[in-house]
Amino acid sequence: RNNSLIVEMKKSDQLAKAIQKYIDSPNLRKKMSFAARKTIEKSFSVDVYSKRIGYIYQKLWSERGRRLV
């Protein structure tokens, strides 16, 4: 998954270089923004969240000997 540039914490020089890469490269910005959007759509959609919440409820209820319909 290549949707961001990684820098170490408290390394402002690395952060500055990463920001400069985005400034200098419109193609990199475009590539990263599309990849980031895909990640967000895949991981945080309403469908994904509703399935996760449903799984959590089912697990909690089954641990108590109950079942959800």
Side-chain angles (χ1 to χ4, degrees):
R1 187 168 29 166
N2 193 9
N3 60 16
S4 60
L5 297 175
I6 306 295
V7 298
E8 292 181 49
M9 290 180 11
K10 299 183 180 182
K11 299 285 185 174
S12 59
D13 58 322
Q14 289 181 10
L15 180 59
K17 287 178 185 177
I19 291 169
Q20 193 63 51
K21 280 186 180 183
Y22 284 124
I23 292 169
D24 294 341
S25 179
N27 289 335
L28 178 64
R29 285 195 311 267
K30 186 175 183 178
K31 177 183 167 187
M32 295 286 197
S33 67
F34 281 123
R37 182 172 180 110
K38 283 187 163 245
T39 298
I40 295 298
E41 289 172 346
K42 182 179 176 184
S43 301
F44 300 103
S45 70
V46 171
D47 186 49
V48 169
Y49 263 104
S50 63
K51 286 178 183 177
R52 286 181 186 166
I53 291 170
Y55 171 78
I56 291 168
Y57 278 117
Q58 184 67 46
K59 186 175 178 184
L60 291 171
W61 280 89
S62 64
E63 287 174 359
R64 294 190 171 113
R66 299 179 185 134
R67 288 209 157 272
L68 294 177
V69 177

